[in-house]
Amino acid sequence: SQQGEEDPQALSIQEGENATMNCSYKTSINNLQWYRQNSGRGLVHLILIRSNEREKHSGRLRVTLDTSKKSSSLLITASRAADTASYFCATVSGSARQLTFGSGTQLTVLP
Amino acid sequence: NAGVMQNPRHLVRRRGQEARLRCSPMKGHSHVYWYRQLPEEGLKFMVYLQKENIIDESGMPKERFSAEFPKEGPSILRIQQVVRGDSAAYFCASSGADNYGYTFGSGTRLTVV
C-alpha cells in the first residue's frame, strides 16, 4: 500500500497564483522529501524536512510537516509555467533507507 | 561530477527476451536503489544494494528479476523473459553514507513489444 498519498491528484492554476499540494502518510518517519518530475524525465529533489522540523523554506517553496496528523504540504508561491510537472512526496522510515513514494500531484500552470 | 548515469535511456525488447539496465552511481556513493514507475503512477521501490551485497529486495518480483552491484562497474537490473507488463520506466538512485542525499538518474524506459 502507498505510504504517501498526495492530493489533489491534479491541479491547474494561472501563472502567478500559489499552488498547494498535500501529502499524507501512514507510519512514523525519519524525514519527508518532495520531488518534481517533468514529463518523461527523472526526478529532481526539491526539499527535505526532518521529523523534528515543522516548516522549511527554499526559494519559492515552503514545506510544512505535521507529524501528529501524518501530513505534509508543499506550497509553491508565484507559480510559473515552468513549474508545470508532477510533484511527489516520499518518506524514509525506521531503519530503512529507501524512499516510499506517493502517487503524485500533476500541476499545470497556465501562462 | 556526472551524477547518476543510467543506460540505455530507451530499451525495446520483444516478449521473452532479456533486458539489462545499467546504473552508475554518483561518485562517492556506495548505496544504490532501483525503482519502477508505471504510467501515471508514483515510483515503487524494488531493491537496495551496496557494493557486492543486496540489502533489501522486498520490492522485487520473485521471478525473472535480479539485481547486482559488483565491486567494479555499474549496478545491473536484469529482467529475464520480459512480458508486456514489465513495460515501465526504471529509475536508479544513489546515496552516500547518510539517509538524505538521494540523487536520481534519468531512467530507462523499457517497452516490451
Side-chain angles (χ1 to χ4, degrees), chain A residues 31 37 40 92 97-99, chain B residues 35 48 56 96 98 102 109:
Chain A
N31 66 72
Q37 184 180 36
V92 175
R97 293 182 61 95
Q98 62 266 26
L99 296 165
Chain B
Y35 293 82
Y48 159 39
D56 184 341
D98 60 62
Y102 298 94
R109 279 146 190 87

Side-chain angles (χ1 to χ4, degrees), chain B residues 24-96:
Chain B
S24 295
M26 253 182 98
K27 190 175 180 180
H29 283 184
S30 57
H31 303 262
V32 167
Y33 315 81
W34 286 93
Y35 293 82
R36 177 166 63 178
Q37 184 179 34
L38 296 171
E40 310 301 324
E41 293 189 12
L43 279 71
K44 299 286 197 310
F45 167 74
M46 298 181 75
V47 63
Y48 159 39
L49 310 102
Q50 293 184 34
K51 282 286 187 181
E52 300 185 275
N53 287 302
I54 295 174
I55 306 301
D56 184 341
E57 56 182 347
S58 58
M60 286 276 270
K62 294 288 184 283
E63 297 176 350
R64 301 188 297 108
F65 284 71
S66 62
E68 62 176 8
F69 188 15
K71 187 176 180 182
E72 302 291 338
S75 175
I76 306 285
L77 179 67
R78 182 180 175 208
I79 311 172
Q80 295 179 290
Q81 299 172 325
V82 295
V83 301
R84 288 232 170 98
D86 297 332
S87 295
Y90 292 83
F91 289 95
C92 169
S94 71
S95 72

Side-chain angles (χ1 to χ4, degrees), chain A residues 49-109:
Chain A
I49 187 164
R50 293 180 174 79
S51 59
N52 62 352
E53 297 176 313
R54 292 296 165 259
E55 189 171 310
K56 205 159 183 182
H57 297 254
S58 176
R60 292 184 297 114
L61 305 180
R62 173 178 169 251
V63 168
T64 63
L65 179 65
D66 187 335
T67 53
S68 66
K69 295 181 180 177
K70 291 188 169 58
S71 67
S72 173
S73 68
L74 171 67
L75 168 67
I76 304 174
T77 60
S79 63
R80 305 166 183 168
D83 294 330
T84 294
S86 291
Y87 291 82
F88 295 92
C89 69
T91 56
V92 175
S93 301
S95 58
R97 293 182 61 95
Q98 62 266 26
L99 296 165
T100 302
F101 283 86
S103 49
T105 293
Q106 172 60 51
L107 173 67
T108 302
V109 181

